[in-house]
Structures are given as structure tokens and as C-alpha cells.
Amino acid sequence: MITVNNIHKHFGSQAVLSGMSFTVKKGSIVGLLGPNGSGKTTMIRLLNGVIQPEQGTMEINGFNPLNDGNVIRQMSGIVTEGAGLYHEMSGEDNLLFFSQIYGVRKAVKRVNELLKDFDLYAHRKKKVGTYSTGMKKRLALAKALLHKPKLLFLDEPTNGLDPDGIRDVMKYLTKLNKTEQITIIICSHVLRQLEDICHSYVFMEKGTVLAQGTRQQLEKDFLTDILLRVETGLKLDSTAYFGYPAERVNETAIIFTLPSKNEISPLLNEILKETWIHSTTIENISLESIYFEVRRRNNE
Ligand SMILES: Nc1ncnc2c1ncn2[C@@H]1O[C@H](COP(=O)(O)OP(=O)(O)OP(=O)(O)O)[C@@H](O)[C@H]1O
């Protein structure tokens, strides 16, 4: 369990974090989401005990990053933009070297295990400088996991990856979380990539938390209207149908505005009494739409 309470951090005269508060449940995957410069990396560095806040408290599994930075770094793994890999050394030698630093027991076995998990075994003897971006990212993840941490901090782990690379990393993180119950905090400004893997989200802007919660909680709090797109043979002769605003977008598609998901089934039943339905999609239910709604309300 991680608790962050009213954290303030300045760099010179610039206020980077202004009262950050959030919690992370043990064993969950949490997305720390916000635009460039909103303070995500700074928050991770504070949690790692690398830098100190001017105000506020933090706790990670009963430890305080202010005084117990070493213990926290031992129980956690971190992947940052730079990754800290040695480009003149092979992938295998990098992992063996960091195993020594972290005091990993049975290092050769662990390194081979991770090289295989991350599809790098065939490339283990090649210099990291010759690796593709995706391979470097995977090696950085392997490095962060050498000492079997209980907590993983990932700062933009998919930057520079192609869609296959992103899917592979996300798949591996989900598996890791399920099999090892690792708590994972992922910072990103690309919301779409995190849609399927996070258990909860912390939406940030300008060093503060705008909203936090599970997808379900955020939907409940911020999605007041459901925009339901229905491919149907229904003839519309006004701007409403069955009491709900309805707008034709093309010959066979209509968008209905509903107050909640509960109205979907009754509406579809009503349409089916008259004609066919081929498909339905909720247009505004993406994480991105929720995020924009959170920001819109905050700026009102
Ligand atoms: N060591 C530092 N010294 C001075 N300013 C800093 C330092 N670290 C971060 N900043 C400033 O703090 C602000 C927040 O930076 P931070 O890297 O935490 O944001 P971020 O949300 O991670 O952004 P990004 O998505 O671009 O990585 C930025 O304006 C940055 O320039």
C-alpha cells in the first residue's frame, strides 16, 4: 500500500507538485496520467527517495521515502526514460553486472530466465548499443525485475515502441502483476495504452490530482451522458426517440444521448420491436473521454 498525502515540491521558484494526494492498493496496477510537465516523473523520484518534498508525507508498505530510501529501492524496480544500460556491453553482461550490484542470488539462472521472458535470449551476446528501442525497453524491464521487486515504477515504458512492442510490454506487465502480485505504477501521457491494464487511475494536471479511482468509479462520477451509436434501420422523424435525444449521422447510424448505461437495453428493445440493429458502440466511454471531462470540469 502506498499513501501520498499533500506533497509539495518546487524546483527553484517553480512549483512542480502542489498538494499531491493519492493511494495505491497493494498488488494493483495504477496509471499516473497527465500531460507533459505535470509532475509525474518528479512524483516517482520522490517515492523512490531520490529527491525530497518540502511538505507532505508518503508511505510505501510502512516505509517512508524520506528516511528509508534504501529499503524502498531494494523492494522496488524502476524503469525510467534513460534506462541506465551500458551500450558497450551485451544484454546478458548488463543483466549480470546489475545482478551483482543488487546482490541477486543464482544470478545466471535469473538472468537467463528474464532474457527468455523478454524474448532477448537469442540476442543476449549482442552489444546493447545495437539493440532496437523495443529491445532496450525490454532489457530495461528485465533489469528492473532482477531482484524480484514487489513494486515496479515505470516512467513512460512504451515511449518509442511500435504497436507490437507496446502490446508485448503490456501483456508482460499484466502477467507479472497476476503471477507475482507486483504493485505497478505506470506514468504515461498516452491514455489509450493503459486502458486495458490499469486497475485504477490518478489523473494529474499541473502538480495536482484532478481525479482518481477505478474505471467504474470514474465513469460513474464523470460520464453523465452516454453517447450510444446504433447501426439500425430505424426511421427517425424527429430529434428524439423513446424520450432520448437522437441524431442521425449517416443512412444507417444514429447517436442517442442517454443519461446512463441502464437505459441502453430498454432503448434497444424498443428499436427491435420496429426494425433491425446490426451493432452498438458507446462513443464516449474511452479513458480519454473521461479524462477530458475531468479536465473540463476542473477548468469550469
Ligand atoms: N531537477 C529538476 N530541476 C529543475 N526543474 C525540474 C527538474 N525536474 C523536473 N523539473 C521541472 O518540473 C516540471 C515537471 O517535470 P516532470 O518531469 O516531473 O513532469 P512529467 O509529468 O513527468 O513530464 P513528461 O510527461 O514530459 O515526462 C517540468 O517543468 C520540469 O522542467
Side-chain angles (χ1 to χ4, degrees):
M1 173 74 155
I2 299 175
T3 321
V4 172
N5 187 26
N6 195 29
I7 289 290
H8 289 254
K9 177 71 189 171
H10 282 76
F11 287 114
S13 59
Q14 187 191 0
V16 174
L17 298 178
S18 312
M20 279 287 291
S21 299
F22 63 92
T23 55
V24 174
K25 265 195 201 156
K26 207 172 180 174
S28 65
I29 306 182
V30 175
L32 201 55
L33 302 171
N36 291 129
S38 53
K40 304 179 296 291
T41 305
T42 304
M43 194 60 242
I44 296 292
R45 296 180 71 212
L46 284 161
L47 283 169
N48 256 267
V50 183
I51 52 173
Q52 311 263 308
E54 289 103 36
Q55 198 187 317
T57 54
M58 293 173 287
E59 201 180 284
I60 300 182
N61 293 345
F63 294 98
N64 178 354
L66 276 174
N67 313 313
D68 313 314
N70 281 338
V71 185
I72 289 168
R73 286 188 291 275
Q74 265 161 28
M75 69 165 95
S76 58
I78 182 161
V79 178
T80 55
E81 196 72 59
L85 299 165
Y86 291 102
H87 285 201
E88 284 306 307
M89 280 160 60
S90 71
E92 182 179 50
D93 285 345
N94 263 277
L95 293 186
L96 287 170
F97 172 74
F98 286 109
S99 297
Q100 255 182 345
I101 291 185
Y102 299 156
V104 175
R105 279 184 293 150
K106 299 190 179 153
V108 174
K109 184 169 172 269
R110 180 70 181 145
V111 166
N112 281 336
E113 220 169 69
L114 286 165
L115 284 168
K116 283 176 192 160
D117 275 351
F118 284 96
D119 276 334
L120 290 169
Y121 193 74
H123 310 281
R124 68 191 185 284
K125 302 286 183 200
K126 291 183 194 155
K127 279 187 184 172
V128 169
T130 67
Y131 278 19
S132 69
T133 308
M135 289 160 78
K136 282 183 203 146
K137 284 274 178 201
R138 300 206 301 272
L139 189 68
L141 262 173
K143 175 194 158 191
L145 293 168
L146 278 167
H147 56 307
K148 299 197 171 173
K150 280 282 141 215
L151 175 61
L152 197 54
F153 294 106
L154 305 174
D155 196 357
E156 306 280 357
T158 53
N159 259 9
L161 294 184
D162 59 20
D164 282 348
I166 294 170
R167 197 201 47 214
D168 290 350
V169 166
M170 293 305 172
K171 227 166 66 187
Y172 188 80
L173 292 176
T174 308
K175 188 176 132 200
L176 198 68
N177 171 260
K178 280 213 179 98
T179 55
E180 319 265 332
Q181 282 84 47
I182 294 190
T183 308
I184 304 177
I185 299 186
I186 312 182
C187 293
S188 182
H189 61 275
V190 193
L191 279 72
R192 219 165 300 127
Q193 290 171 10
L194 301 187
E195 282 224 73
D196 298 329
I197 80 158
C198 290
H199 299 114
S200 66
Y201 303 90
V202 177
F203 288 153
M204 284 179 71
E205 194 174 59
K206 295 185 189 135
T208 55
V209 174
L210 299 184
Q212 62 183 302
T214 62
R215 175 68 177 260
Q216 219 177 4
Q217 285 162 341
L218 291 167
E219 271 182 25
K220 193 166 147 272
D221 293 345
F222 293 96
L223 274 189
T224 39
D225 282 340
I226 299 285
L227 299 180
L228 187 75
R229 183 191 174 104
V230 184
E231 298 283 338
T232 174
L234 187 70
K235 301 274 176 275
L236 261 191
D237 41 23
S238 81
T239 52
Y241 177 80
F242 199 46
Y244 304 118
E247 190 188 343
R248 175 165 297 287
V249 281
N250 65 37
E251 238 168 71
T252 57
I254 299 172
I255 291 187
F256 297 91
T257 305
L258 307 176
S260 77
K261 281 182 181 170
N262 296 336
E263 281 73 29
I264 295 176
S265 296
L267 170 72
L268 297 182
N269 277 329
E270 192 62 24
I271 298 174
L272 284 171
K273 284 183 200 162
E274 292 187 40
T275 185
W276 51 267
I277 292 175
H278 283 169
S279 73
T280 62
T281 34
I282 300 178
E283 295 271 289
N284 61 334
I285 209 163
S286 68
L287 195 59
E288 218 160 29
S289 327
I290 299 173
Y291 178 62
F292 286 133
E293 179 59 16
V294 169
R295 287 178 76 180
R296 194 190 62 76
R297 284 199 209 175
N298 193 61
N299 292 325
E300 255 175 13

